[in-house]
């Protein structure tokens, strides 16, 4: 069973630009979630995809969007970058069974800096 | 999901037991108690979870109060590698999704 991988590890963008972050889930997992972690804080849920459809969204504006592909990969897209978007972006994959017991497996994250 | 309260930081000596507390006074009967930890420069990793009974696994033990309003994560012998931020999270089994709601967590420092 391979782990969750993310690319790139670090990224620097300027305000107003667009960015795409990528994640490769564990084989067999049907769900991917994305989180934003500002420095010194716990991760905040952005959204989740289940079988390629959005399955829940946190308190993030529409300029944060995502895609999930059949090959266990997924993307997080952020348009019109703002300085406050500087953070560690984490993806997590899991096999959704429901019932509050599913374990999420996190990647190492992408550190995004917006100048 | 219901809210949890944890101390901001704790210190421990290497090879001694560590008890990490979590208060969740508004827990509902359908909330599972999950613990994740985040080592430096890594994503969070699952530690343990439970509903009502105490739980043990190879990483830790979870002791749940009888009224379920608090719980304690127990590391039986802390190592330097256990230095991390530990998050106590409640997850409602009725939720269709499985997203995690993180608080600030407890930063555990382990002294040699």
């Amino acid at each position: 069973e391979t782990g969750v991988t993310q690319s790139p590890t670090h990224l620097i963008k300027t305000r107003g630009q667009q960015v795409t972050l990528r994640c490769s889930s564990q084989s067999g997992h049907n769900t991917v979630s994305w989180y934003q972690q500002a420095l010194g804080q716990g991760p905040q849920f952005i959204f989740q995809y289940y079988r390629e459809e959005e399955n829940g969204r946190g308190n993030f504006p529409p300029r944060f969007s995502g895609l999930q592909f059949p090959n266990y990969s997924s993307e997080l897209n952020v348009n019109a970058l703002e300085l406050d978007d500087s953070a560690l972006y984490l993806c997590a994959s899991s096999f959704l069974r429901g019932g509050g017991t599913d374990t999420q497996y996190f990647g190492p994250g992408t550190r995004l800096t917006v100048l | 999901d219901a809210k949890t309260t944890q101390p901001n930081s704790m210190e421990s000596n290497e090879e001694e037991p560590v008890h990490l507390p979590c208060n969740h006074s508004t827990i509902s009967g359908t909330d599972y108690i999950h613990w994740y930890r985040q080592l430096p420069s890594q994503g969070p990793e699952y530690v343990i979870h439970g509903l009502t009974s105490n739980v043990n696994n190879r990483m830790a033990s979870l002791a749940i109060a009888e009224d379920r309003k608090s719980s304690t994560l127990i590391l039986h012998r802390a190592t330097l590698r256990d230095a991390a931020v530990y998050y106590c999270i409640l997850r409602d089994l009725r939720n269709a999704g499985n997203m995690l709601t993180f608080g600030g967590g407890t930063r555990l420092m382990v002294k040699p």
Side-chain angles (χ1 to χ4, degrees):
Chain A
E1 198 176 65
T2 59
V4 178
T5 60
Q6 293 186 242
S7 63
T9 53
H10 295 85
L11 198 54
I12 299 174
K13 291 285 190 178
T14 57
R15 198 168 46 181
Q17 285 189 310
Q18 179 266 342
V19 68
T20 297
L21 309 181
R22 293 180 172 83
C23 172
S24 179
S25 301
Q26 283 194 4
S27 174
H29 283 181
N30 57 14
T31 304
V32 65
S33 304
W34 286 89
Y35 294 82
Q36 179 194 68
Q37 186 172 24
L39 206 58
Q41 298 182 23
Q44 300 300 305
F45 173 70
I46 302 175
F47 46 57
Q48 179 183 90
Y49 279 78
Y50 169 66
R51 294 185 176 176
E52 302 164 47
E53 297 284 333
E54 189 175 293
N55 185 43
R57 188 176 187 93
N59 189 26
F60 281 81
R63 59 189 185 86
F64 286 79
S65 63
L67 287 171
Q68 183 187 23
F69 304 102
N71 65 350
Y72 307 112
S73 67
S74 61
E75 291 180 355
L76 165 66
N77 298 289
V78 188
N79 293 322
L81 283 167
E82 301 176 0
L83 297 179
D84 284 347
D85 295 333
S86 295
L88 181 68
Y89 288 86
L90 296 157
C91 85
S93 75
S94 61
F95 187 83
L96 180 61
R97 299 182 187 88
T101 62
D102 308 328
T103 297
Q104 293 202 9
Y105 296 85
F106 284 81
T110 293
R111 171 73 61 189
L112 173 65
T113 302
V114 182
L115 302 177
Chain B
D1 290 330
K3 187 180 168 72
T4 62
T5 304
Q6 299 177 253
N8 288 335
S9 64
M10 290 184 64
E11 267 191 10
S12 170
N13 294 318
E14 195 177 13
E15 298 190 3
E16 290 186 355
V18 181
H19 291 233
L20 297 163
C22 181
N23 286 320
H24 28 78
S25 57
T26 59
I27 192 170
S28 75
T30 53
D31 283 326
Y32 274 88
I33 303 161
H34 287 248
W35 285 80
Y36 280 72
R37 73 178 185 180
Q38 188 170 17
L39 303 172
S41 301
Q42 294 188 28
E45 64 176 351
Y46 168 80
V47 179
I48 201 167
H49 77 274
L51 184 61
T52 55
S53 304
N54 295 344
V55 185
N56 300 296
N57 67 20
R58 64 175 180 80
M59 289 181 71
S61 297
L62 176 60
I64 301 173
E66 197 169 330
D67 64 4
R68 300 208 327 124
K69 292 184 185 301
S70 66
S71 60
T72 303
L73 179 70
I74 303 166
L75 307 179
H76 295 286
R77 283 181 74 233
T79 69
L80 296 178
R81 195 193 173 276
D82 292 321
V85 179
Y86 287 78
Y87 297 99
C88 169
I89 299 166
L90 300 183
R91 294 177 65 192
D92 193 333
L93 64 84
R94 297 169 299 178
N95 281 344
N98 63 352
M99 61 286 291
L100 299 171
T101 303
F102 289 84
T106 296
R107 180 172 299 279
L108 175 66
M109 292 167 280
V110 180
K111 296 182 291 184

